[in-house]
Amino acid sequence: MSKPKGFEKPIGVKDYLPHAVSKLRTIERNVLACMERWGYEQIITPTLEYYDTVGVASATSDQKLFKLLNQRGTTIVLRSDMTAPIARVVGSLLKDHPLPLRLSYHANVFRAFEEEAGRDAEFFQTGVELVGDPSPEADAEIVALAIASLQAAGVKSFKLALGHVGFLNGLFEETLPGRTAEQELLKSCLLQRDHVGYRRELQALAIDESLRHELADILRLRGGQEVCEQARQLSRSTKVQQAMEHLCEVWDVLAAYGVQEHVLIDLTMIGDFTYYTGMTFEGYASNLGFPVCSGGRYDNLLAGFGRPAPATGFALKTTRILEVAEEENRRLARTIILYVPNRRAEALAAASKLRADGRIVVTALTDESSAARAQQAAGSGKPYVHQGVAYEEWIVFGGREGGGRA
């Protein structure tokens, strides 16, 4: 392998230039503020975790984990999600705090992919975890907050698809009893949203034609509350009935929130983490093929950290939202203060005062002739350009006193 060039970086990671960073920080700030208004407190966890604890519990496959050895030979990992690290904290540092807990975060996470198009090895997530409440009300709160967070991030057009792992698990256990490998194959197709592959696998199964049609019909189970009723008629499995009852209650609470226009029920939705135990969802923005948020219920994860508790949550794919979020109209004007050497103290004092007032101020040493030209530019109606950067406002200490504004 050839030595990387000085400007090269590993595949799957990005440099974020100032404009993108400004937009990313705006999204982060607005979303975290939204979450705080809903009662969620921010938490920060380490980038590095032990493989045998958080690495295993994350449910990210081994080949997608970045693993390292520390000086003692212990395997550690770069965190691949935030849910497992937060579960570790809830079971340790927060073990004496009463439930429910509402926690939020913004962090970079890492997953190793095989140079797949559009997949980043490092990306940012902003999300929440609601720990200690098993109710449909809690699941609905998470979905409603995901909607509010996407709006706070500047995503104008999106839909959230809700499913329930209990529906598919119950249906497949009833229709394909004991055939675990075939069940997992069908679930894998649904997880990849590969409906053509799902129908192909159904055709290959040695089952009655009526059962084949029944399993193919679940691809049509997308819509509103009527989908829950259709699913109840499809199977008498206790697991299916309980899943549909829970999902219908979530739907009713979302109606009370007034956000049903952003939501549809999709019973082929199963979530991409094995720790999901109930309701799951994904959010899609217009004109973007990848989901911009995902979440669901994971009632078994906390037990692995010594504090069994139901939990539900979601994460915004903050890096992807950069592509679809609308820019905020307001932008602070940039001011430049130009000064000649014998006016330095006055100029820098003026800059400090303006910065204390929240202004963006750049200072630059100049000479008398340049200061005079800057004064002449006042009143032109155009920004003042200094070293290739345009400034809406400028103040000059030198030559004639004063300044200008575009």
Side-chain angles (χ1 to χ4, degrees):
M1 181 181 294
S2 61
K3 183 178 179 180
K5 297 180 177 64
F7 57 81
E8 289 185 312
K9 58 188 182 300
I11 293 173
V13 297
K14 292 180 178 178
D15 296 308
Y16 292 88
L17 298 182
H19 177 75
V21 172
S22 176
K23 189 174 180 182
L24 179 68
R25 294 305 182 212
T26 298
I27 293 170
E28 172 191 351
R29 181 175 63 251
N30 291 346
V31 171
L32 287 173
C34 173
M35 294 169 174
E36 184 178 17
R37 290 192 293 270
W38 284 59
Y40 288 77
E41 299 178 291
Q42 189 176 358
I43 188 172
I44 297 175
T45 68
T47 304
L48 298 174
E49 297 276 3
Y50 283 120
Y51 169 74
D52 288 332
T53 56
V54 168
V56 173
S58 71
T60 302
S61 60
D62 258 25
Q63 63 267 30
K64 292 181 180 179
L65 292 174
F66 282 100
K67 298 180 184 178
L68 307 90
L69 292 178
N70 66 12
Q71 65 272 29
R72 294 180 306 217
T74 305
T75 303
I76 56 179
V77 295
L78 296 176
R79 61 188 174 209
S80 62
D81 71 358
M82 283 296 295
T83 302
I86 290 177
R88 174 184 58 74
V89 173
V90 170
S92 55
L93 298 176
L94 296 177
K95 64 181 180 181
D96 296 325
H97 284 60
L99 301 177
L101 285 169
R102 287 176 168 83
L103 302 172
S104 64
Y105 61 85
H106 175 81
N108 54 344
V109 297
F110 305 84
R111 293 178 200 158
F113 294 104
E114 290 292 333
E115 300 185 24
E116 299 172 41
R119 306 300 293 272
D120 293 334
E122 178 188 14
F123 50 96
F124 292 92
Q125 292 184 339
T126 313
V128 301
E129 310 296 346
L130 173 48
V131 180
D133 188 340
S135 70
E137 295 278 342
D139 282 332
E141 177 179 317
I142 287 298
V143 174
L145 178 51
I147 292 169
S149 298
L150 285 169
Q151 292 169 333
V155 183
K156 300 301 181 184
S157 179
F158 60 88
K159 279 284 188 182
L160 267 61
L162 271 63
H164 197 295
V165 298
F167 168 73
L168 286 174
N169 288 339
L171 180 64
F172 287 150
E173 288 168 9
E174 181 185 51
T175 56
L176 300 170
R179 301 167 72 170
T180 305
E182 289 154 318
Q183 292 178 28
E184 293 304 317
L185 191 57
L186 292 174
K187 289 179 187 177
S188 177
C189 291
L190 295 176
L191 175 61
Q192 302 300 323
R193 316 303 289 168
D194 181 8
H195 292 179
V196 173
Y198 177 80
R199 290 190 178 94
R200 183 174 59 248
E201 296 300 335
L202 278 180
Q203 288 298 321
L205 290 178
I207 55 176
D208 292 339
E209 197 62 29
S210 59
L211 181 56
R212 199 186 323 275
H213 284 302
E214 179 181 326
L215 292 176
D217 282 345
I218 70 171
L219 297 179
R220 300 192 183 97
L221 294 179
R222 302 178 79 247
Q225 189 169 16
E226 74 281 356
V227 171
C228 289
E229 300 304 325
Q230 294 169 13
R232 281 174 166 166
Q233 299 304 314
L234 191 62
S235 169
R236 304 314 302 172
S237 160
T238 300
K239 188 174 290 188
V240 168
Q241 294 298 315
Q242 290 175 342
M244 291 304 96
E245 180 180 357
H246 186 96
L247 207 54
C248 281
E249 290 186 43
V250 171
W251 183 263
D252 290 340
V253 180
L254 291 174
Y257 276 112
V259 297
Q260 283 184 326
E261 64 179 294
H262 297 290
V263 182
L264 61 86
I265 293 174
D266 180 354
L267 293 182
T268 65
M269 180 72 58
I270 59 176
D272 62 352
F273 286 114
T274 57
Y275 54 57
Y276 284 137
T277 59
M279 184 271 302
T280 66
F281 67 93
E282 286 185 346
Y284 288 86
S286 300
N287 305 318
L288 189 64
F290 296 111
V292 292
C293 75
S294 62
R297 176 161 291 280
Y298 54 98
D299 287 347
N300 298 332
L301 181 64
L302 274 294
F305 294 95
R307 192 180 186 185
T312 184
F314 74 88
L316 298 189
K317 321 292 186 182
T318 319
T319 311
R320 291 178 184 169
I321 288 174
L322 281 174
E323 302 178 35
V324 294
E326 294 188 4
E327 299 270 10
E328 288 192 349
N329 291 327
R330 62 179 183 87
R331 186 176 73 87
L332 292 176
R334 296 171 61 88
T335 300
I336 185 169
I337 294 180
L338 301 162
Y339 62 89
V340 295
N342 65 343
R343 307 295 299 279
R344 179 183 290 114
E346 296 171 77
L348 298 185
S352 295
K353 186 177 184 304
L354 290 174
R355 288 170 182 146
D357 292 336
R359 303 269 289 277
I360 299 174
V361 181
V362 172
T363 59
L365 178 66
T366 190
D367 54 36
E368 289 286 357
S369 60
S370 296
R373 285 195 296 272
Q375 288 297 340
Q376 292 171 3
S380 67
K382 299 178 181 179
Y384 179 75
V385 178
H386 178 76
Q387 295 180 341
V389 178
Y391 295 90
E392 294 87 348
E393 299 176 345
W394 61 98
I395 300 171
V396 180
F397 285 83
R400 293 183 296 111
E401 294 299 321
R405 176 182 293 224

